């Protein structure tokens, strides 16, 4: 039988790109902005760290030979462009030290901003172990209740989640990002995170990789009706448009450079891509470099189209939501 982590990769790679709520957001163009390509500045910040482009390699994998290769590939790519990378869940290596290498390889090849990744079953001590394992610059904690509940081998006890996040947040001297996994962070969850003083969230909504599909396939059961709980990334961002206390990151269903710009216009500070980067790992490395270079060039071209010179000017770009 295939390992769970390898199954996730294989099934995710087979998922087709589909229409999502970003298609309903239309940005206003401006032919008379007076900009030229060399004016465009895509720099932003990520959990307080300065980064050259508003994108990051979002959390995916670790723990198997295949995961080792994928992490190595993505780490090299993140290093080449100096963009942040988030490790896949390190739970497997916290339980079994022999799995560490497939995570350590990320730090070996990526010297830039790197976040560790755990689930909220872990408290401060294990959070620090995960961080030390890859000499991370911060920690991410993923919320995946629905995924756990539909996995035959998944967690059934969520009683310590809030306390663990709170403990880690109070005591960690590195930034903490609380993220979702492509199902979407609800307003209720966000309210509770705010109440315990969380500053950085990645809303990671639906519209791209679907763990309800992945776990349905793995369990050979149809849990599609649970997609009722999925919230599209663009919808969550729209609901948070007046949010002042949180620094918001977006991921889930980012298919192309226009989705990135739309997420930034809707208030995200930077944008995470998983599936898009995962698909690149099938290519020879040089081709992936070209693909990311082209992606960045198109980001700049879209900035010209909408008349924004830098990321902070994106807040002035008008948009329509087509229901
Ligand atoms: C993920 N994701 C994820 N997230 C996390 O915090 N820890 C993890 O271990 C994983 N594992 C994982 C494996 C694979 C194969 C994929 C594709 C994704 C979720 C990921 O970070 C992201 O939130 C979602 O995939 C949504 O983004 P995309 O794929 O639509 O760009």
């Amino acid at each position: 039988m295939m390992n769970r982590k390898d199954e996730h990769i294989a099934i995710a790679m087979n998922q087709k790109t589909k229409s999502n709520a970003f298609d309903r957001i239309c940005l206003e163009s401006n032919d008379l902005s007076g900009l030229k390509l060399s004016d465009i500045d895509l720099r932003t910040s990520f959990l307080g760290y300065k980064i050259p482009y508003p994108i990051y390699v979002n959390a995916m994998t670790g723990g198997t030979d295949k995961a080792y290769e994928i992490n190595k590939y993505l780490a090299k790519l993140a290093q080449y462009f100096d963009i942040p990378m988030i490790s896949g869940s390190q739970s497997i290596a916290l339980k079994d030290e022999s799995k560490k290498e497939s995570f350590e390889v990320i730090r070996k090849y990526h010297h830039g901003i790197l976040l560790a990744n755990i689930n909220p079953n872990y408290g401060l001590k294990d959070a620090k172990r995960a961080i030390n394992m890859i000499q991370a610059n911060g920690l991410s904690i993923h919320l995946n209740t629905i995924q756990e509940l539909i996995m035959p081998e998944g967690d059934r006890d969520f009683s310590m989640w809030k306390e663990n996040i709170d403990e880690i947040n109070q005591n960690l001297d590195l930034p903490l990002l609380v993220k979702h996994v492509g199902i979407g962070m609800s307003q209720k969850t966000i309210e509770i995170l705010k109440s315990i003083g969380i500053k950085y969230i990645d809303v990671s909504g639906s519209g791209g990789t679907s763990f309800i599909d992945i776990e349905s396939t793995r369990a050979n059961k149809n849990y599609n009706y649970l997609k009722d709980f999925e919230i599209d990334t663009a919808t969550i961002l729209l609901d948070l448009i007046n949010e002042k206390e949180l620094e918001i990151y977006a991921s889930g269903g980012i298919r192309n450079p226009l989705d990135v710009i739309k997420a930034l216009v809707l208030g995200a500070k930077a944008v995470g891509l998983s599936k898009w980067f995962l698909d690149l790992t099938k290519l020879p490395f040089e081709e992936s470099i070209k693909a990311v270079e082209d992606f960045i060039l198109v980001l700049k071209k879209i900035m010209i189209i909408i008349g924004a010179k830098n990321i902070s000017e994106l807040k002035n770009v008008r948009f329509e939501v087509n229901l």
Side-chain angles (χ1 to χ4, degrees):
M1 212 182 77
M2 219 196 222
N3 175 288
R4 169 156 64 99
K5 300 288 168 177
D6 289 345
E7 279 184 350
H8 284 164
I9 294 283
I11 302 168
M13 270 183 170
N14 269 328
Q15 288 190 335
K16 298 268 173 303
T17 306
K18 49 185 191 283
S19 170
N20 68 33
F22 282 110
D23 297 328
R24 294 195 279 114
I25 311 286
C26 292
L27 305 180
E28 186 178 48
S29 64
N30 176 0
D31 286 305
L32 297 172
S33 66
L35 290 172
K36 55 181 184 303
L37 198 59
S38 58
D39 287 337
I40 306 299
D41 179 355
L42 291 174
R43 283 175 299 175
T44 183
S45 67
F46 179 79
L47 276 58
Y49 297 107
K50 288 188 167 44
I51 58 169
Y53 308 110
I55 54 173
Y56 54 94
V57 180
N58 213 353
M60 271 184 279
T61 201
T64 68
D65 292 346
K66 172 126 184 101
Y68 177 99
E69 291 306 325
I70 288 177
N71 276 343
K72 178 177 166 184
Y73 188 108
L74 293 173
K76 281 166 64 184
L77 204 56
Q79 169 66 20
Y80 188 93
F81 291 97
D82 194 19
I83 55 176
M85 177 162 170
I86 307 186
S87 166
S89 176
Q90 291 164 266
S91 182
I92 191 169
L94 290 176
K95 290 180 191 143
D96 175 359
E97 291 258 315
S98 72
K99 307 282 186 200
K100 268 181 8 185
E101 244 181 284
S102 59
F103 296 97
E104 288 166 344
V105 68
I106 307 176
R107 185 44 105 200
K108 192 166 163 204
Y109 289 94
H110 180 42
H111 311 301
I113 305 305
L114 172 59
L115 300 190
N117 183 271
I118 56 172
N119 67 52
N121 290 328
Y122 294 102
L124 183 65
K125 193 163 155 264
D126 288 319
K128 286 183 175 168
R129 281 175 63 214
I131 291 168
N132 289 339
M133 189 189 300
I134 55 173
Q135 293 133 48
N137 308 92
L139 176 71
S140 63
I141 299 182
H142 63 264
L143 306 179
N144 66 339
T145 313
I146 297 178
Q147 184 197 2
E148 292 294 342
L149 287 171
I150 63 179
M151 276 198 283
E153 71 278 40
D155 291 326
R156 299 293 181 261
D157 179 354
F158 307 89
S159 53
M160 288 305 289
W161 276 26
K162 185 177 152 192
E163 284 72 14
N164 283 338
I165 296 171
D166 193 15
E167 183 203 17
I168 292 169
N169 189 45
Q170 303 272 347
N171 295 290
L172 200 67
D173 46 15
L174 290 171
L176 170 65
L177 174 74
V178 181
K179 73 183 286 292
H180 219 276
V181 294
I183 293 175
M185 211 177 262
S186 71
Q187 293 301 310
K188 185 74 196 174
T189 304
I190 294 170
E191 259 171 44
I192 296 172
L193 290 174
K194 274 173 78 168
S195 77
I196 57 170
I198 296 298
K199 177 159 184 227
Y200 304 115
I201 62 165
D202 176 345
V203 300
S204 203
S206 62
T209 300
S210 167
F211 268 96
I212 294 178
D213 277 340
I214 292 179
E215 299 302 348
S216 291
T217 307
R218 286 188 61 234
N220 202 15
K221 287 199 174 137
N222 184 354
Y223 290 113
N224 266 329
Y225 51 90
L226 291 177
K227 288 192 176 176
D228 243 35
F229 294 106
E230 288 189 345
I231 323 171
D232 253 281
T233 305
T235 307
I236 309 174
L237 292 174
L238 277 171
D239 283 343
L240 289 171
I241 207 102
N242 295 317
E243 173 57 46
K244 299 273 180 293
E245 285 166 47
L246 294 167
E247 195 164 295
I248 297 160
Y249 294 85
S251 71
I254 305 293
R255 301 155 298 180
N256 56 50
L258 183 57
D259 288 343
V260 171
I261 300 288
K262 285 179 181 177
L264 296 169
V265 168
L266 295 180
K269 193 96 182 158
V271 178
L273 301 91
S274 289
K275 163 79 171 151
W276 191 82
F277 279 114
L278 182 62
D279 285 343
L280 289 187
T281 63
K282 290 182 259 185
L283 302 175
F285 191 68
E286 291 305 312
E287 277 180 43
S288 277
I289 289 182
K290 288 210 174 61
V292 180
E293 270 168 358
D294 190 56
F295 195 102
I296 291 167
L297 179 61
V298 180
L299 285 175
K300 291 183 179 172
K301 288 180 176 175
I302 296 169
M303 297 287 279
I304 299 237
I305 296 171
I306 60 180
K309 191 174 174 180
N310 54 44
I311 303 292
S312 61
E313 284 186 12
L314 287 174
K315 63 179 177 298
N316 306 322
V317 174
R318 290 190 294 216
F319 62 88
E320 255 178 30
V321 184
N322 295 315
L323 295 172

